[in-house]
Amino acid sequence: MGISNAIVVGGGIGGLAAAAALARRGVAVTLLEQANALREVGAGLQISPNGLAVIKALGVETQLRSKGAVEAQAVVLRDYAQGRPVARLDLARLRPAQKYLFTHRADLIDTLAGAAKRANVTFELGVAVASIRPGPVPAVQMSDGSTRRAELVVAADGIHSVARPVLNGPDKAVYSGQVAWRAVIPNVVDHPAEARVHMGPGRHLVSYPLRGAELINLVAVEERSAWAAEGWQHCDKPDNVRKAFAGFGGDVPAMIAALDEVTLWGLHLHPVAANWHQDGVVLLGDAAHPTLPFLAQGANMALEDAWVLAQAVTQAGSDDLSASTAAYQNQRIKRVRRVIDAAAGNAARYHLRPGPMRSLAHLGLRTASRLAPGRMLGAFDWLYGHDVTRRDKA
């Protein structure tokens, strides 16, 4: 029942997960990727329980852990000046089956690629997609003039998706007034298995360990009026990070002193696409719903998308592809909008300026963390407790 063949455009997390999930359900999948090799360098990811549910369902949790994924024990909010804890989200209080991992993006890419290869996905690397055309048999026009066709084309090609404007018109992205630096450094501060959010006026810095705690992933965000381009590939000078975070205490000075290479990303606000599907073409992950990185859910939402899409187009009674892709969008759109709104709200809370509002906010966090730690974690049940694979386990 459902489709028999598909093309996936994009060899990132969402594309690889979708390819593997579809192929495991009997779909013949070809994955197109413009890079000559599947690789991601210099980046960490937080895989929360909702995303890990998909990793488990794909049968690759053990492989990911074997690459040095660190099991997270907490998320700790810290004041910038001296690095003192403000609040602690104790992840040890998660349900026994729920785990939260820190992993290198390259390790997750490699793990998902392995799952796709074992499911007999065909890979075409070093090929560029020029356009995607919906239709009775949708077409992918390549830059070399050739054409690929399949019953379903999954556009998992990120924020600069070729397919998104075809389905929705020109993107209306707006610069958020914030930039983010990203880097990976040696573990120079004996960083524990926790994500630390160092909150300062108009800026914050996130750190957590990778690869058996040998490395630390850093994401540093600053409010800045000057426009900056999207994309992690833009190199910047480490001294710019040191200057921006010169007033931070605790472990921050040692970590930013260890910076060797950094990349800079201008954070832009993209509306959630109104149309995720049309005549055999469907959007997935950032192509449909880019989010700010303040809830660590970009990769997790792409993983959820991949599983739900594969389920929708292959389940019994799914012969009407338009109805199946509509069901996928309907199942996902409210959730991703809630995640995007929550991420945007975190930015404001992290960047409070000194004054009564900041003092009251931090007092409230300290009190809740000390007196009601279970309730504090429970506020994230809607996010971490959501398991898109549950229907397949029934």
Side-chain angles (χ1 to χ4, degrees), residues 120-332:
N120 295 318
V121 171
T122 299
F123 286 78
E124 292 190 31
L125 305 179
V127 295
V129 172
S131 65
I132 296 175
R133 299 194 302 271
V137 181
V140 180
Q141 186 75 33
M142 311 303 293
S143 294
D144 65 6
S146 63
T147 301
R148 312 282 193 277
R149 297 183 185 275
E151 294 173 73
L152 177 69
V153 174
V154 181
D157 49 348
I159 56 175
H160 300 302
S161 171
V162 173
R164 177 176 169 129
V166 175
L167 274 57
N168 293 274
D171 196 7
K172 297 181 174 62
V174 177
Y175 175 55
S176 70
Q178 299 175 93
V179 298
W181 290 278
R182 183 176 70 173
V184 174
I185 62 170
N187 190 351
V188 294
V189 296
D190 193 23
H191 202 297
E194 60 189 36
R196 290 177 168 175
V197 183
H198 309 261
M199 305 179 295
R203 67 206 67 210
H204 74 277
L205 185 145
V206 179
S207 62
Y208 52 87
L210 299 174
R211 289 186 174 163
E214 293 182 0
L215 303 173
I216 297 174
N217 188 73
L218 295 179
V219 179
V221 177
E222 179 188 38
E223 295 177 8
R224 180 192 293 180
S225 58
W227 183 90
E230 279 188 298
W232 286 119
Q233 73 274 20
H234 307 295
C235 294
D236 198 24
K237 297 177 180 178
D239 280 348
N240 289 337
V241 184
R242 297 183 186 113
K243 180 179 178 181
F245 290 84
F248 279 54
D251 288 334
V252 173
M255 291 192 293
I256 61 178
L259 288 172
D260 182 31
E261 296 180 350
V262 298
T263 55
L264 178 69
W265 188 334
L267 301 178
H268 291 64
L269 302 170
H270 297 256
V272 175
N275 301 309
W276 295 20
H277 66 99
Q278 181 184 324
D279 295 337
V281 175
V282 64
L283 306 179
L284 185 146
D286 282 350
H289 48 77
T291 180
L292 295 175
F294 303 144
L295 197 59
Q297 286 299 306
N300 294 292
M301 290 300 102
L303 289 166
E304 288 187 8
D305 281 358
W307 191 268
V308 173
L309 176 63
Q311 185 183 66
V313 300
T314 61
Q315 64 187 356
S318 61
D319 291 329
D320 184 342
L321 183 56
S322 179
S324 297
T325 51
Y328 154 69
Q329 176 173 344
N330 290 339
Q331 187 174 338
R332 297 294 300 147

